[in-house]
Amino acid sequence: MKATQRDYAQAARKAGDKLRIFFFCGADEAGASAAVQKVVATLEAPGERLELTGAELRSDPVRLVDEARSTSLFGDARHIFARVSGEEALTALQAYCDLADNGEADEAWPIFIVATSATDKSRSAKLLIKRSDSLVAVFYPPDLRSVTADVRAMADAAGLRLSGNVAERIAHAAGLDVRLAQSEVDKLALYLDASPQSPKQATPEDFDVIGASTEEDGFMPLVNAALGGEVRKLPGELRRLREVSLNPVGVALALERRAAQLASLSAKLRPGDDMQGFLKSQGVFFREHREVGDQLQRWSGGKLERLVPRLAELHRSLLSNSQMAELILSQELAQIARYAAARR
C-alpha cells in the first residue's frame, strides 16, 4: 500500500492491525521520523522499542525477522525501528516477506523503517507497495508555510493560542524540522503552564524568553558556514558549538534538512533563472535567500546526491558514539567546508 505524507495516518488507521511494515522514505528524514512517532502513538500496545541500524540489517538480514518474531525481555509488546540509508534493508525485507507469504509472520511485531536516500521507486519500496501488510509513504522537504501550519496544529494540541508571527518564528527557528519545532512548542506550553484543559495565549515576547537560545545560539550559522565553504568562519562556529553546548545530533539534523532543501531546489532551478525570484517562488524564508542561493551555486545535483547519504551516515555515527559526537561532527563539518570552498 502506498500513501503520501498527507494521508499516511489515515491510511494506517484504515488498514488497522493488518499492517506489519511501515516504510517511510524520501528526503524529509525529520518528517518521516515524526510520522513514525505519530503512528506508534496510535498502536493499542506499542510496548518497548528495539532500534536497529542499516549497517546491522545489511550485515545480518535475518535479524529483522528474528527480532520481529521474538518476545521482549519482560514478555511485553514491542515494535522495531530501523533508520537506514538507501537499500540497506532490502535483503532483510525480502527475508521477512518470504516468511510472511508462508504464514510464518502473522504474529510479528510492527516494523518501522525510515529510509533516507530512498524513494517510492527504490527496490525496497517496490517490494512493499503491493503488499496489504505494508505501508510505503514518501516525505518531501517542507516549506515554511507547511511547517508553520504544523506548528499551529502542535500548539492547538498543547493548549497554546499563537498570536502574530509566533508560529512562523518557531518554524524558522527549528530550521523547518518538525521534531525541533515540537520541542519549542512543548517548552512554550510548559513556560505558560498551558494545557488543552487550560489554554493560554502565547505572545512573541513569551517566545523571546524560551526561544532565545534556539535563535541566537542556533544551528544555522554552523550549517551555513560548512555548506557555504566559509573555512575561516568555521573555527569560531565550532568554538560556539562547545561553549553553548549545542546538540551535535541537532546540528546534523539541521544539515540534513538544508541538504534536502538544496536537493529539492536544485532539481527545479533552470539555467538563467533569477535566483532571488526563484527562491521567493519556492517559499524560501527571505532572510535565508543569500545563504541558500550561494549554497545552490556550490552544490550541484550530483554532489548533493552524495552529500545527503553522507549526512545520514554522520547522523548514525553521532547516535552510536555519543561520547565522541562533538569531535566526529567537527571533523565532518571541516571536510564539508573545505570541499565547498574549493568549488568557488
Side-chain angles (χ1 to χ4, degrees), residues 287-298:
R287 292 179 180 173
E288 297 180 337
H289 282 190
R290 183 180 64 82
E291 290 85 358
V292 173
D294 177 68
Q295 291 160 22
L296 271 176
Q297 293 174 341
R298 293 175 184 279

Side-chain angles (χ1 to χ4, degrees), residues 142-186:
D143 55 22
L144 182 62
R145 182 180 302 174
S146 64
V147 178
T148 298
D150 288 338
V151 170
R152 290 190 179 280
M154 296 172 192
D156 290 341
L160 285 174
R161 298 192 182 102
L162 302 184
S163 65
N165 64 347
V166 176
E168 182 174 311
R169 285 184 59 195
I170 292 175
H172 175 60
L176 303 186
D177 189 311
V178 290
R179 290 168 297 186
L180 297 179
Q182 182 68 66
S183 176
E184 293 302 298
V185 170
D186 291 343

Side-chain angles (χ1 to χ4, degrees), residues 66-82:
D66 291 341
E67 297 291 359
R69 297 195 301 171
S70 66
T71 58
S72 69
L73 182 62
F74 301 103
D76 298 325
R78 72 188 327 190
H79 62 279
I80 316 298
F81 175 77

Side-chain angles (χ1 to χ4, degrees), residues 141 173 191-192:
Y191 173 72
L192 294 174

Side-chain angles (χ1 to χ4, degrees), residues 96-130:
Y96 180 93
C97 291
D98 288 342
L99 282 177
D101 291 341
N102 291 328
E104 299 179 44
D106 293 343
E107 302 299 322
W109 304 116
I111 298 170
F112 296 87
I113 296 177
V114 171
T116 56
S117 305
T119 70
D120 55 340
K121 302 298 190 295
S122 65
R123 288 179 292 169
S124 296
K126 289 181 178 179
L127 174 69
L128 302 173
I129 282 177
K130 295 182 179 180

Side-chain angles (χ1 to χ4, degrees), residues 169-170 172-173 207-208 211-219 221 287:
R169 285 184 59 195
I170 292 175
H172 175 60
F207 183 62
D208 286 339
S213 60
T214 300
E215 294 190 292
E216 296 173 11
D217 301 320
F219 306 137
R287 292 179 180 173

